[in-house]
Structures are given as C-alpha cells and as structure tokens.
C-alpha cells in the first residue's frame, strides 16, 4: 500500500527543512564571526608579543586640524623659530636660506613602551645634493632650544632621529643621501656635523624621501629597551626595516618634538602629523620599577672616523716653496752679516 502524506505532514516537513536551513545559516554566520574575531585578535598582537591600543595618546599627538597650535593655552604644542601653521601641515622651514623652526610638546611623556608614526614631506626647488639640511624628530629632556643640530641644540639629552638630506662628508661616497639615522645623547656628546653623525649613530638606512609624489612616513618604536625605526616612503604602504638596536635606555618624562634647519641650501620641511600609540607589553615588577636617569646604549662605542690626507693644493704648494726659499735667503743674509762682523772684530784684535 502506497504511503500518502497529509497536508499536515507536508507543512511539518517544510517547517523542519526551513529550521534546518536556518540553523545551518546561523552556524555559518557564527563561524564567520568567530573567524573575524580571531583574525582581528591575531592582528592586534604583533610578532614581538605586544599589543597596540585602539586609541591614540592624543595628548602626545599632533594632527589636523591645528587650531590654536602654539598660541592657545589649551594647546599641547609650542612653535619655535620659523615654524608656521597651514591648513595642511606645520611648515618647520620654508625653502629659503638660513631658517630654523621647531614644534615641541608641552607635556612630558611617561609611557614606558610607545610607537611614534611621523607623517612628513620634504620638498624644494634644489636639485639632488643641492638642498638641505634636513629634519629631526626628538625625545629629549630639553625643549624649545634653537641650535645647529637640525634646528635643535647640540649636547642634547635623549633620542634624536635625523632625516639628513645633505652629505657634509664628501669623502665617504658609499653612503647615499637622503639618509635616516638615530643617536642617543647624554648631554655631553656632540653631534659630528663634519662626518654626518657617523661616530655616534646607532644605525641607519638610505631613504629616498625628498620630492616624491606620495605620502612619506617614518615609524619609531621603543619597546623593552629596544629601538626600532622603519620607513614607508615608496608609496606601497609597506613598512621597511631601517634600524633595530637593543639595549637602549631612555628615561621617562622627556618631550617629543620635531625641528628642521636650512643653511646655504634649503628645502620646505613640512610636518603633517605625529601620532603616538601606547604599547601594552607583559613585564615583571622589576621592569616596572626600573628607571634610568641618564640615556645610554649598551656596548656603545663612539667610532672614530678616518680622515684621509688630501695633500697640498697647487696654490698652497707654491706659497710653501716661495716662503721656504725666502726664509732660507733671509737666514743666509743674516749669517753672512754676522760672519763679516765677527771676522772684522777678530782682525781688530791683532792691531
């Protein structure tokens, strides 16, 4: 006998099928939600084992709009020298000779682990190696000081990151400019302009960052006494390693800043943003209590730079020979005169 299905059975079967499909759909959606959460969590944690928080530390960050910057009492930043505000950037120096400008945070930073992203632009009319001098980013004890080191004081205390666009040391042609380097100063170490900071640098890399048509970024990360610098300057939105140095000890309570300088050569040095992120890192109570009062770098040796003897130029050699001959002639005349007088006095004794 053939089985027959009533209308009620058909409705029940249809409902069961719909519920099954709905449950499968819900399971699929839940699975994708879990996958998304897992992927997001995996992105939050980096290979180094620390997490970047979802929000900026705005009190240490400089971003658009720049309303009240340097003039308002509520602003967290001060302007210095030729620095001026536009709607698109803070121009530290214009493309004019002999200019110095800077912007400095008013609030000392007490974060132990941080990451600073710098969005900047360096451009001008000068051709390659006929422009200068460069831009620097600072985390130092001192602030608001005009000086010769990319617009800041020499003998600084803290960290300096230099975006050097002009080679002063023409004897070392193996280094291609612009060049990014870093230095830690303790208040008694001078920056060596003549050799582009080579003796005291922690490391660096060549970075073609001037007169480009895309955004340029530098990243500075300080985590568990390790200093890392990366660049994103080729328009591909990729971070490339530039410097990685362990054993860097920076005290708390220093100030962030940026400065630039021009000399006989010039460029526009524009700062678009400084964004500071706090990094959450697992650490022991001993690390929490550990404090440094003077910046230092483990196993840091100030390198000596070999200065090659260039020899004398043609003009220098000519005058050297000329004065040598004249000197010999004068000595000869004096010797003859003295000998003549001695001989005459001796002759008088016999008479």
């Amino acid at each position: 006998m053939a089985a027959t299905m009533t209308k009620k059975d058909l409705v029940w079967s249809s409902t069961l099928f719909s519920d099954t499909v709905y449950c499968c759909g819900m399971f699929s959606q839940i699975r994708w939600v879990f996958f998304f959460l897992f992927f997001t969590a995996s992105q939050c944690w980096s290979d180094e084992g620390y997490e970047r928080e979802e929000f900026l530390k705005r009190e240490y960050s400089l971003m658009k709009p720049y309303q009240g910057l340097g003039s308002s009492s509520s602003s967290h930043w001060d302007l210095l020298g030729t620095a001026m505000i536009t709607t698109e950037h803070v121009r530290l120096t214009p493309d004019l000779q002999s200019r110095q400008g800077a912007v400095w945070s008013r609030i000392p930073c007490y974060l132990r682990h941080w990451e600073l992203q710098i969005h900047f632009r360096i451009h001008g009319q000068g051709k390659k190696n006929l422009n200068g001098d460069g831009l620097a980013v600072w985390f130092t004890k001192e602030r608001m000081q005009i000086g010769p080191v990319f617009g800041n004081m020499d003998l600084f205390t803290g960290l300096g990151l230099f975006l050097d666009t002009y080679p002063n040391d023409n004897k070392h042609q193996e280094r291609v400019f612009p060049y990014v380097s870093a230095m830690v100063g303790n208040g008694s170490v001078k920056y060596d302009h003549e050799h582009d900071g080579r003796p005291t640098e922690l490391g660096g890399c060549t970075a073609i960052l001037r007169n480009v048509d895309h955004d340029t970024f530098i990243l500075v990360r300080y985590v568990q006494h390790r200093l890392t610098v990366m660049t994103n300057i080729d328009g591909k939105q990729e971070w490339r390693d530039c410097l990685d140095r362990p054993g860097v000890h920076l005290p708390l309570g220093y100030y962030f800043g940026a400065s630039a300088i021009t000399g006989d050569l010039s460029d526009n040095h524009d700062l678009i943003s400084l964004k500071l992120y706090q990094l959450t890192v697992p650490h022991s109570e001993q690390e929490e209590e550990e404090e440094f009062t003077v910046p230092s770098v483990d196993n840091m040796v100030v390198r000596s730079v070999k200065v090659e003897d260039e020899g004398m130029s043609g003009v220098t050699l000519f005058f050297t020979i000329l004065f040598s001959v004249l000197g010999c002639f004068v000595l000869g005349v004096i010797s003859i005169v003295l000998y003549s007088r001695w001989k005459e006095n001796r002759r008088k004794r016999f008479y």
Side-chain angles (χ1 to χ4, degrees), residues 66-87:
Y66 311 112
Q67 295 178 353
L69 178 63
S71 59
S72 171
S73 59
S74 61
S75 174
H76 294 159
W77 295 83
D78 283 320
L79 297 178
L80 182 66
T82 60
M84 60 178 294
I85 305 170
T86 73
T87 56

Side-chain angles (χ1 to χ4, degrees), residues 95-96 122-128 130-131 210-211 266-268:
D95 192 1
L96 298 171
I122 300 177
H123 57 104
Q125 299 297 321
K127 297 181 180 179
K128 184 178 180 181
L130 291 176
N131 55 276
R210 181 181 177 271
N211 277 353
S266 62
D267 256 338
N268 295 304

Side-chain angles (χ1 to χ4, degrees), residues 145-215:
Q145 300 289 329
I146 287 289
V149 185
F150 297 91
N152 189 28
M153 62 177 288
D154 204 350
L155 301 176
F156 59 88
T157 309
L159 172 67
L161 177 73
F162 309 127
L163 283 60
D164 195 350
T165 58
Y166 180 76
N168 294 301
D169 189 357
N170 294 320
K171 300 171 188 175
H172 294 83
Q173 300 295 336
E174 75 279 2
R175 176 168 291 187
V176 179
F177 280 72
Y179 194 83
V180 177
S181 64
M183 169 185 170
V184 170
N186 60 10
S188 62
V189 179
K190 292 181 67 66
Y191 177 81
D192 189 345
H193 281 280
E194 184 179 354
H195 300 105
D196 299 312
R198 288 170 182 261
T200 54
E201 72 177 24
L202 303 181
C205 65
T206 294
I208 308 304
L209 47 77
R210 181 181 177 271
N211 277 353
V212 295
D213 296 329
H214 47 262
D215 291 333

Side-chain angles (χ1 to χ4, degrees), residues 42 54 84 99 115 140 189 218 248-250 274 300 311:
S42 65
E54 295 180 357
M84 60 178 294
R99 299 293 192 271
E115 178 180 292
T140 57
V189 179
I218 295 283
V248 177
H249 307 289
L250 299 175
L274 292 172
M300 180 65 185

Side-chain angles (χ1 to χ4, degrees), residues 214-215 232-238:
H214 47 262
D215 291 333
N232 179 0
I233 57 174
D234 54 10
K236 298 180 180 179
Q237 304 303 315
E238 296 177 356

Side-chain angles (χ1 to χ4, degrees), residues 10-25:
L10 289 173
V11 171
W12 180 83
S13 299
S14 176
T15 303
L16 179 63
F17 177 76
S18 299
D19 291 343
T20 303
V21 171
Y22 177 77
C23 290
C24 291

